[in-house]
C-alpha cells in the first residue's frame, strides 16, 4: 500500500515534469520560430529618403552590426593578394607607372577597402584632387538615389544624367553618405533591388544581344539568386563615361567577355587617353569582377557573389547575411565550407595556388607590355611615323587592356582562373607581336600583326 502510493506520486511527478519540459521546449521552439519569422521589429518607418544606415539599423540591428565593420582596415586585414588595407599598387608594382603613363592612375592607385570608405577614398585620391573629374564618379561611391531624384525632379534617369554632367566638386555637394542600405534594398519591403542606371541600361543592352530579351529589367525579371549577384554587379564592373555628357556606361552591348568589350570600344573609337610615352590611344580597365565572375565555374554552377562575400551566420534561430562585405579568405569557414567539405587551410591553399599562378602570368604579361612600350618609344625617337607605328599602337592597346583587365579585377584570377589565363596568354602574344611589328619596320617582310586568336 505504502509503496504503491509512492509509485503513484512518482508517476504523477514524472508526468508533470515531462509536461513542463515539453511545454518549455514548445515555448522555446515557438519563440525561435517567431524570432526567425519576425525578422525585425519595425521601430522606425523607413522611406526612400532614409539614407542614414544607423536609422535602418534600428529595425535591423544584426545586419547593421556587420555593415559597420566594413570600416575596419589596416595591415592585419591583408590576405596574400587582397584584404582591406589601402596600400599603393603603384609602389608594389612600378611597371604600372609605365603602363598608365600620362593618365591619372599613374598618380595614385590603391588596393580597395571596405564600403564605409567609398566616399572618403574618392575625395582623398590624387585622381580627384589633381585632375578634374565629372560627377559620374559618384555613381558607385555614394548613396545616390535622393540626389538623382532631386536633380531629375523625380525622374532618376534624368537626374543621373544631370549629375554625371556636373564637375565632380559640384556634384559631391549633393551626396552625404557612402554606400548604404538604400543602395541594395527597397525600404518598404527590404527586397533586393538594383538602383544604378549604369547597370540597368547596361544589362538591358546585354540581354537584348545575348539572349534576345527586350526591355530586360532585373528588378522585376531576375531570380532571387541572380539578384544576389546583380546588386554587386551594379558597381563592380568595367565602365566608361560617354564622351558627350559623361553618363556612366557599361560596355556590354556585344557581350561580357573582354573581346566583346574591346570590339565595343573599337567600334565607337573610344580611348581613355593617349599613352604618355607612345601616343597610342589606349584603354583603362576598371574592376571587372562581374564580367570575369560570369566566365567562371561558380557562376556556371549558380553560386552568387553574396554566397561567398556575404555568407549566412547564425544568431539564435536566425540566419543573418553577413553584411561585413570583405575578402572571403578572412571568413573561409562560412564562405566556402558550406559547399566544400574540406578544411579552411585546404581551401585557402587552393585559392592561393590559383592566385600565385595567375600572378606569375600577370607579371609576364606586364613585362611584355612594358617591353613593347619601350620599343615603340625607341622607334619614335629614331623617326618612325605614327602611320608606320599603327600596328604597334593597336597591339599596345589590345595587350595593355588585357593585362590591365586581369590586374584591375580584384580576385587575382580566382573568380575565373582559366579565363584569366587565356586573357593573359593573349596579352603576352599580342605584345610580342607588336614588338616584332616595330622591329620589322625596316624589313621588306615586316610581320603582320595578328591581334586576335581567331
Ligand atoms: C566562390 C566564392 C566567390 C564568389 C561567388 C565571388 N567571389 Fe569575389 N572573391 C573570392 C575570393 C576567394 C577572392 C580573393 C580574396 C583575396 O585574395 O583575399 C575574391 C576577391 C574579391 C574582391 C577583392 C577583395 C579583396 O580583399 O581584395 C572583390 C571586390 C570581389 N571578390 C567581388 C566579387 C563580386 C562582385 C562577385 C560577384 C560578381 C564575387 N566577388 C563573387 C570569392 C568569391
Ligand atoms: C561603375 C562604378 C564606379 C565608378 C563610375 C567609379 N568607381 Fe571608383 N571604384 C568602384 C569600385 C567597385 C571600386 C573598388 C574596386 C577597386 O578598387 O578596384 C572603386 C575604387 C575606387 C578607389 C579606391 C581604389 C583606388 O583605385 O585607388 C578610388 C580612389 C576610386 N574608386 C575613385 C574613383 C573616381 C575618381 C571615379 C571617377 C573617375 C570613380 N572611382 C568611378 C566603382 C566605381
Ligand atoms: C551591397 C548591397 C547591400 C547593402 C549595402 C546592404 N545589404 Fe542587406 N542584404 C544584401 C544581400 C545580398 C542580402 C541577401 C538577400 C537575399 O538572399 O535575398 C541582404 C539581406 C538583408 C536582410 C534580410 C535578412 C538577412 O540577413 O539575410 C536584411 C534585413 C538586410 N539585408 C538589412 C540591411 C541593412 C539594415 C543594411 C544597411 C545597414 C543593408 N542590409 C545593406 C545586400 C546589401
Ligand atoms: C554602389 C556601388 C557598390 C555596390 C552596390 C557594391 N560595391 Fe563593393 N565596393 C564598391 C567600392 C567603391 C569599393 C571600394 C571602397 C574603397 O576602397 O574606398 C568596394 C569594395 C568592395 C570590396 C573590398 C572590401 C575590402 O575590405 O577590401 C569587396 C570585397 C566588395 N566591394 C564586394 C562587393 C559585393 C560582394 C557586393 C554585393 C553584395 C558589393 N561589393 C556591392 C562599390 C560597390
Ligand atoms: C554555394 C556553394 C559554393 C560556395 C559557397 C563555394 N563554392 Fe566553390 N564550387 C562550388 C561548385 C558547385 C563548384 C563546381 C563543382 C563542379 O561543378 O565540378 C565549385 C568549384 C570550386 C573550385 C574548383 C574551380 C575550378 O575551376 O574547377 C574551387 C577552387 C572552389 N570552388 C573554391 C571555393 C572557395 C575558395 C570558396 C569560398 C571562398 C567557395 N569555393 C565557395 C560551390 C560553392
Amino acid at each position: 500500500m505504502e509503496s504503491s502510493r509512492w509509485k503513484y506520486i512518482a508517476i504523477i511527478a514524472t508526468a508533470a515534469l515531462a509536461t513542463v519540459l515539453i511545454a518549455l521546449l514548445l515555448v522555446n521552439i515557438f519563440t525561435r520560430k517567431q524570432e526567425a519569422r519576425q525578422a525585425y521589429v519595425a521601430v522606425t518607418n523607413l522611406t526612400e529618403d532614409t539614407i542614414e544606415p544607423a536609422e535602418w539599423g534600428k529595425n535591423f540591428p544584426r545586419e547593421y552590426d556587420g555593415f559597420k565593420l566594413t570600416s575596419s582596415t589596416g595591415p592585419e586585414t591583408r590576405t596574400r593578394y587582397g584584404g582591406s588595407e589601402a596600400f599603393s599598387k603603384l609602389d608594389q608594382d612600378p611597371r604600372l607607372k609605365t603602363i598608365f603613363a600620362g593618365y591619372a592612375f599613374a598618380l595614385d592607385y590603391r588596393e580597395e577597402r571596405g564600403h564605409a570608405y567609398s566616399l572618403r577614398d574618392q575625395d582623398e585620391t590624387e585622381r580627384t584632387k589633381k585632375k578634374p573629374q565629372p560627377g559620374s564618379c559618384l555613381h558607385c561611391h555614394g548613396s545616390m538615389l535622393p540626389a538623382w531624384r532631386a536633380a531629375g525632379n523625380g525622374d532618376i534617369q534624368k537626374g543621373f544624367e544631370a549629375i554625371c554632367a556636373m564637375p565632380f566638386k559640384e556634384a559631391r555637394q549633393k551626396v552625404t553618405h557612402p554606400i548604404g542600405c538604400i543602395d541594395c534594398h527597397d525600404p518598404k519591403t527590404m527586397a533586393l533591388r538594383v538602383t544604378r542606371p549604369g547597370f540597368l541600361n547596361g544589362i538591358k543592352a546585354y540581354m537584348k544581344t545575348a539572349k534576345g530579351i527586350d526591355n530586360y529589367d532585373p528588378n522585376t525579371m531576375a531570380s532571387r539568386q541572380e539578384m544576389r549577384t546583380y546588386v554587386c554587379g551594379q558597381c563592380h564592373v568595367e565602365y566608361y563615361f560617354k564622351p558627350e555628357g559623361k553618363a556612366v556606361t557599361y560596355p556590354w552591348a556585344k557581350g561580357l567577355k573582354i573581346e566583346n568589350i574591346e570590339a565595343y570600344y573599337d567600334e565607337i573609337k573610344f580611348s581613355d587617353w593617349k599613352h604618355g610615352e607612345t601616343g597610342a590611344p589606349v584603354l583603362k580597365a576598371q574592376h571587372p569582377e562581374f564580367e570575369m565572375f560570369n566566365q567562371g565555374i561558380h557562376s556556371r554552377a549558380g553560386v552568387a557573389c553574396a554566397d561567398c562575400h556575404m555568407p549566412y551566420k547564425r544568431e539564435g534561430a536566425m540566419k543573418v547575411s553577413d553584411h561585413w562585405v570583405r575578402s572571403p579568405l578572412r571568413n573561409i569557414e562560412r564562405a566556402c565550407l558550406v559547399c566544400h567539405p574540406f578544411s579552411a587551410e585546404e581551401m585557402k591553399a587552393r585559392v592561393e595556388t590559383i592566385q600565385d599562378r595567375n600572378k606569375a602570368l600577370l607579371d609576364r604579361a606586364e613585362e611584355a607590355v612594358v617591353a613593347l612600350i619601350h620599343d615603340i618609344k625607341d622607334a619614335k625617337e629614331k623617326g618612325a611615323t605614327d602611320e608606320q607605328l599603327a600596328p604597334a599602337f593597336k597591339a599596345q592597346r589590345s595587350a595593355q587592356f588585357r593585362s590591365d583587365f586581369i590586374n584591375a579585377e580584384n580576385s587575382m584570377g580566382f573568380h575565373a582562373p582559366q579565363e584569366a589565363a587565356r586573357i593573359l596568354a593573349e596579352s603576352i602574344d599580342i605584345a610580342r607581336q607588336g614588338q616584332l611589328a616595330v622591329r620589322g619596320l625596316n624589313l621588306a617582310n615586316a610581320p603582320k600583326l595578328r591581334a586576335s586568336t581567331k
Side-chain angles (χ1 to χ4, degrees):
M1 180 70 194
E2 269 300 283
S3 84
S4 75
R5 195 164 123 204
W6 278 117
K7 224 190 256 166
Y8 256 125
I9 291 175
I11 288 170
I12 289 168
T14 316
L17 188 65
T19 313
V20 169
L21 284 178
I22 288 170
L24 281 176
L25 184 67
L26 285 175
V27 168
N28 187 30
I29 290 175
F30 181 73
T31 37
R32 294 257 161 166
K33 277 234 170 98
Q34 279 299 101
E35 245 176 62
R37 190 176 313 126
Q38 204 177 24
Y40 73 102
V41 189
V43 176
T44 174
N45 181 32
L46 302 173
T47 72
E48 288 291 354
D49 291 316
T50 318
I51 314 179
E52 175 53 54
E55 206 45 42
W56 293 60
K58 290 181 184 161
N59 290 358
F60 306 105
R62 295 174 181 88
E63 284 79 8
Y64 181 57
D65 282 349
F67 175 87
K68 278 190 292 190
L69 291 170
T70 63
S71 66
S72 63
T73 185
E76 70 285 356
T77 69
R78 272 173 83 156
T79 57
R80 188 173 290 180
Y81 296 104
S84 317
E85 190 192 12
F87 61 83
S88 166
K89 292 198 184 185
L90 297 174
D91 292 347
Q92 201 196 41
D93 182 357
R95 282 173 301 223
L96 295 177
K97 288 189 188 151
T98 309
I99 293 175
F100 300 142
Y103 199 45
F105 275 87
L107 298 176
D108 191 354
Y109 180 28
R110 291 168 188 278
E111 167 68 12
E112 86 290 14
R113 48 181 172 168
H115 285 163
Y117 294 98
S118 57
L119 262 190
R120 187 190 309 181
D121 286 346
Q122 192 170 54
D123 287 341
E124 287 174 3
T125 180
E126 302 292 320
R127 307 206 297 271
T128 51
K129 279 189 177 159
K130 295 214 173 116
K131 299 269 171 177
Q133 300 287 359
S136 332
C137 289
L138 290 159
H139 181 272
C140 308
H141 283 261
S143 268
M144 296 302 294
L145 276 182
W148 284 329
R149 218 178 287 109
N153 283 328
D155 184 328
I156 287 177
Q157 175 70 27
K158 284 218 178 83
F160 152 73
E161 286 166 14
I163 288 186
C164 284
M166 289 173 190
F168 177 76
K169 301 247 148 63
E170 183 189 341
R172 178 67 182 81
Q173 304 303 315
K174 305 187 180 301
V175 185
T176 51
H177 284 70
I179 300 160
C181 322
I182 199 166
D183 294 304
C184 299
H185 291 288
D186 181 316
K188 284 280 160 281
T189 62
M190 287 309 285
L192 288 181
R193 67 171 177 186
V194 172
T195 52
R196 308 287 118 163
F199 186 86
L200 292 168
N201 299 334
I203 198 88
K204 191 190 271 179
Y206 167 67
M207 284 295 178
K208 191 164 166 59
T209 43
K211 308 238 166 92
I213 303 173
D214 281 325
N215 286 320
Y216 183 79
D217 177 0
N219 289 318
T220 53
M221 294 157 87
S223 69
R224 174 176 164 218
Q225 187 65 358
E226 284 169 336
M227 287 304 279
R228 288 164 52 86
T229 290
Y230 288 170
V231 288
C232 316
Q234 297 191 81
C235 305
H236 286 266
V237 294
E238 161 64 4
Y239 68 87
Y240 76 109
F241 300 151
K242 280 246 167 76
E244 248 346 87
K246 302 287 171 204
V248 178
T249 310
Y250 300 174
W252 297 342
K254 291 176 186 291
L256 297 178
K257 289 198 184 150
I258 188 163
E259 51 270 20
N260 306 139
I261 294 173
E262 186 183 40
Y264 174 99
Y265 285 140
D266 285 350
E267 188 176 288
I268 60 167
K269 298 195 164 46
F270 180 81
S271 61
D272 283 292
W273 87 105
K274 273 206 181 319
H275 193 266
E277 293 189 10
T278 66
V282 284
L283 300 166
K284 173 77 189 78
Q286 352 254 346
H287 35 74
E289 278 88 62
F290 178 73
E291 293 90 336
M292 281 298 287
F293 174 71
N294 265 286
Q295 314 310 323
I297 187 75
H298 282 105
S299 161
R300 181 95 190 190
V303 182
C305 313
D307 286 318
C308 296
H309 288 279
M310 299 183 67
Y312 289 113
K313 53 181 184 179
R314 271 205 172 274
E315 291 195 5
M318 305 240 339
K319 262 167 67 184
V320 180
S321 300
D322 189 346
H323 278 63
W324 185 2
V325 177
R326 61 179 159 154
S327 164
L329 295 186
R330 298 178 56 216
N331 197 13
I332 297 177
E333 277 85 359
R334 282 195 261 117
C336 317
L337 305 194
V338 280
C339 296
H340 294 284
F342 305 108
S343 68
E345 296 74 57
E346 171 61 15
M347 289 317 288
K348 181 159 173 266
R350 288 186 186 191
V351 174
E352 288 179 348
T353 304
I354 292 171
Q355 292 182 319
D356 287 347
R357 287 175 181 154
N358 187 73
K359 177 70 166 88
L361 213 41
L362 176 60
D363 283 339
R364 301 284 283 262
E366 288 182 356
E367 287 296 330
V369 171
V370 169
L372 171 59
I373 290 171
H374 288 325
D375 274 11
I376 298 177
K377 212 174 127 196
D378 266 9
K380 276 195 126 165
E381 277 159 14
K382 288 180 185 135
T385 64
D386 281 3
E387 203 190 354
Q388 285 175 309
L389 287 170
F393 286 163
K394 186 164 189 292
Q396 187 191 340
R397 175 179 164 99
S398 243
Q400 178 166 324
F401 189 49
R402 280 166 175 71
S403 72
D404 192 21
F405 205 80
I406 302 307
N407 184 48
E409 208 280 341
N410 284 291
S411 72
M412 190 49 85
F414 175 79
H415 290 145
Q418 275 183 310
E419 175 69 352
R422 178 185 79 90
I423 292 171
L424 291 174
E426 284 194 6
S427 172
I428 297 167
D429 178 43
I430 295 167
R432 298 304 184 192
Q433 287 187 56
Q435 283 186 281
L436 290 176
V438 178
R439 290 177 187 203
L441 273 180
N442 298 320
L443 302 173
N445 301 331
K448 262 221 152 60
L449 174 75
R450 231 165 33 92
S452 120
T453 48
K454 273 174 239 110

